[in-house]
Amino acid sequence: MIFQPVLNVFLLALLCAPVAALAVIALTKAKGRDRALWAMRLVLLLACFFMLLRPGIPGGATQTLATDTDIVLVVDTTASIVAEDWNGDEPRLDGVRADVQAIVDEYPGARFALITFDASADLRMPLTTDTTALVSSLEVLRPEVTSQSRGSSIGIANQLLTDTLSNVAEASPDRSRMVFYFGDGEQTVTSPPEPFDGSEKLTDAGAVLGYGTAEGGPMRLTTGGIDGSANEYIEYQGTNALSVIDEGNLEAIASDLGVEYQHRTADAELTLPDAPSTTTDYAESGSVGNVTELYWIAALVVVALLGVELTRASLLVARLRLLRAPSASPRRKKPTAGGAA
């Protein structure tokens, strides 16, 4: 048996020893039924002490589920990704964040890499199993500064994606690879989008996820300030400029990668592909060392003894109320006029 105390053992002893000493003194002085009550209270204290020690038996096992997959997320960070037509008038980036969280939840144990692109493509986060860091990176992610924008291509990340997948395949050839592309397909340079066909042979599964509406959404100016944006909107010819989704471009990217395209809206559930066959299941994942907790046994004893104490206290309260209730006295009859004196 091993112990994993919630506090230092000496501190627990310091807290419980004075109470235990008082209980022992009361037990030695008590007589009759009171002696049994103090013995029960001493057992209650010992059970609490035992529970706080958190006893357990080593050698327990817990089966785990791991996804032996490397997932590369390619996220558009141009000004259009904050166009306000997601779930009404929210930025599209909110939808991207929600979908990334769904992907993280869908593939437990996978390794994730994050690529962002606007005027250039950058590997923001190399492969990691630290999904907390990934989600945090997306929470602070902001689009390029509007004043520095010179137009961008939706395919500018093609070479970086190919290089990333190639490095991953070389380092871990036994692991499968998935790619998820997040964007609106809006090409703001005159040249045609670069193809992603170089990544197809390195991609086992994934999806292209499109954000935006045909009506378009306005875009706030992005600054280099702390909050990342201003209250003003980007204007074109005196009115708010609108960013419109281009599903044709997104479908072309999906075709290049050999994955499915999916238009995303806030009221539609995200459909994710099954992880490739290298994903292990619970039966095959093996087990990891663990401890079988036993503190619950002491907790049951504590609950039972507290139940006895509460029942006894309730009976005593009821008895006191009966003793305090005034007894009814017989009424004296008034003498009648013709009665005997």
Side-chain angles (χ1 to χ4, degrees):
M1 181 179 292
I2 64 173
F3 297 92
Q4 304 174 85
V6 297
L7 294 174
N8 185 281
V9 177
F10 295 103
L11 182 58
L12 290 177
L14 185 63
L15 291 173
C16 295
V19 183
L22 293 175
V24 170
I25 294 173
L27 177 62
T28 57
K29 294 182 177 181
K31 296 180 180 180
R33 185 177 300 177
D34 289 341
R35 191 177 183 86
L37 287 174
W38 279 108
M40 182 189 70
R41 290 163 183 165
L42 184 59
V43 172
L44 176 62
L45 178 63
L46 293 175
C48 288
F49 181 73
F50 186 73
M51 180 176 63
L52 292 173
L53 289 177
R54 284 188 63 200
I57 300 175
T62 301
Q63 290 184 321
T64 58
L65 175 67
T67 306
D68 295 331
T69 300
D70 294 326
I71 300 176
V72 182
L73 309 175
V74 184
V75 178
D76 181 352
T77 53
T78 60
S80 61
I81 201 61
V82 292
E84 298 175 351
D85 57 359
W86 170 265
N87 195 25
D89 57 357
E90 297 175 8
R92 296 171 185 171
L93 189 54
D94 287 357
V96 173
R97 290 170 178 146
D99 287 345
V100 169
Q101 183 63 62
I103 291 171
V104 168
D105 295 339
E106 181 69 17
Y107 307 108
R111 298 190 302 184
F112 292 88
L114 176 62
I115 292 175
T116 62
F117 67 92
D118 37 57
S120 61
D122 299 292
L123 180 62
R124 291 289 186 99
M125 180 177 291
L127 280 176
T128 179
T129 56
D130 188 354
T131 55
T132 301
L134 172 66
V135 173
S136 297
S137 296
L138 286 165
E139 287 298 326
V140 300
L141 189 64
R142 296 293 182 269
E144 62 180 339
V145 177
T146 306
S147 60
Q148 299 176 0
S149 177
R150 298 295 181 270
S152 59
S153 172
I154 59 173
I156 197 170
N158 77 98
Q159 189 58 54
L160 180 56
L161 176 61
T162 301
D163 294 343
T164 302
L165 292 173
S166 297
N167 294 335
V168 170
E170 183 177 353
S172 305
D174 55 330
R175 295 174 66 91
S176 57
R177 293 165 296 280
M178 302 179 73
V179 174
F180 290 92
Y181 179 102
F182 306 80
D184 51 39
E186 191 173 34
Q187 183 80 355
T188 57
V189 293
T190 56
S191 59
E194 299 87 339
F196 281 85
D197 50 3
S199 301
E200 180 180 9
K201 62 181 181 298
L202 300 168
T203 303
D204 297 305
V208 171
L209 306 178
Y211 302 83
T213 60
E215 295 78 16
M219 301 163 284
R220 292 186 185 273
L221 288 170
T222 305
T223 67
I226 296 177
D227 61 353
S229 62
N231 292 326
E232 298 83 8
Y233 288 92
I234 299 175
E235 294 187 353
Y236 177 72
Q237 295 182 349
T239 60
N240 290 341
L242 299 179
S243 171
V244 178
I245 188 173
D246 191 327
E247 296 193 86
N249 282 341
L250 294 171
E251 289 172 352
I253 294 174
S255 178
D256 288 343
L257 292 172
V259 299
E260 295 294 325
Y261 165 69
Q262 188 175 161
H263 180 219
R264 297 293 299 123
T265 58
D267 57 353
E269 185 177 355
L270 176 62
T271 303
L272 295 173
D274 293 333
S277 58
T278 55
T279 300
T280 58
D281 58 22
Y282 285 100
E284 298 173 352
S285 62
S287 61
V288 296
N290 203 353
V291 176
T292 302
E293 300 275 7
L294 298 178
Y295 70 89
W296 58 271
I297 299 175
L300 290 178
V301 174
V302 170
V303 171
L305 294 179
L306 285 176
V308 173
E309 283 281 14
L310 289 174
T311 301
R312 178 175 171 275
S314 299
L315 292 174
L316 288 175
V317 171
R319 187 178 301 174
L320 288 173
R321 287 180 176 176
L322 289 176
L323 291 175
R324 291 178 180 178
S327 57
S329 56
R331 295 182 179 179
R332 296 179 62 183
K333 292 184 180 180
K334 294 181 180 180
T336 59

